[in-house]
Amino acid sequence: MSSAVAPTPEYELPEGYTHIYSGKVRDLYKTPDDRLLFVASDRISAYDWVLPTPIPDKGRILTAMSIWWFDRLSDLVPNHVITTNVPDSVARRAMVCHRLDMFPVECVARGYLTGSGLTEYQAQKSVCGVNLPPGLKDGSKLPKTIFTPATKAELGEHDENVTFDEVVAAIGQDEAQQLRRLTTLVYDRAASIAAERGLILADTKLEFGSRPDGTIVLADEVLTPDSSRYWPADEWEPGHAQPSFDKQYVRDWLTSPASGWDRHSGEAPPALPDDVVEKTRAKYVEAYERLTGKRFA
Ligand SMILES: Nc1ncnc(-c2cnn(Cc3cccc(F)c3)c2)c1Cl
């Protein structure tokens, strides 16, 4: 059941920018000189719905986070960013990027077991064909980082976990191995940096594309709270769902009597109260400042 409909973007762009695609919280345009404009909106999604209330500065904070991570990873893998010099209407929340030939694979690395990985493990003691030891619980740290690829789902549908062999069948052995190597390399470095800042990076979803000369390039957004699960390390306790670093206030309010909403009803969620919006914005600012050591202006 598709509960998320791509909203119409809340901003104007100059002549020559053509809208290509909108996800729940991101929009993609072709630029006048045939590059891509990757825009991060202030939209927030929860429980597979795009909420009616934006989080001020979310797009700017997550764009700044992606740029910071791209720079910290540039010795491991090149990225698609050309410039952050973008139209005023999307200032600081958009990137001009090289148009790549995207691999049809959601490249997920997991250092901890939760979400769809936990569900699959509970059913078959493996995730994406990777066997795991017995006794793991929600939030358990994995013995080592695992590559758990998925196929890109249509808007509103969930990605489908696939095995490494299915990735090989889709794109060939060499590039499948490259994607697995790069995905786990990026995750391990990021998880180590996050841990130094008191944050657990439980998992992350990366997207790669290739240049005409075959070079594999890290694309999309990278290591943001929208593409990754960040948990506060000092609250980590396997055995139950961990608190989301950025979305817990939203989830708690939406599932509290105060919202008057039943997430299983099929009805759209209500607007968020100002205090939930402000506390959520503060969490995004906190994540950025703790990770980068820089103030968010
Ligand atoms: N550098 C690239 N070259 C070619 N294609 C892409 C590409 C296509 N789709 N996506 C996912 C997405 C990014 C933003 C907004 C959305 F709505 C969807 C990324 C990229 Cl990033």
Side-chain angles (χ1 to χ4, degrees), residues 21 24 30 38 40 59 65 79 86 92 103 112-114 127 132 147 158 186 188 194 196-197 219 236 244 271 295:
Y21 179 68
K24 288 185 192 159
K30 189 177 81 59
F38 182 113
M65 222 179 267
N79 62 69
V86 297
R92 299 174 52 203
F103 291 100
Y112 293 76
L113 189 63
T114 193
V127 185
L132 292 175
F147 179 61
H158 284 145
V186 164
D188 287 341
E196 288 168 6
R197 276 90 166 161
W236 179 57
S244 158
R295 295 298 306 275

Side-chain angles (χ1 to χ4, degrees), residues 3 46-51 250-251 253-272:
S3 50
Y47 298 117
D48 290 334
W49 288 90
V50 177
L51 304 188
V250 167
R251 290 180 183 166
W253 185 77
L254 283 173
T255 53
S256 77
S259 74
W261 183 59
D262 168 8
R263 61 183 275 221
H264 303 295
S265 66
E267 285 162 24
L272 298 175

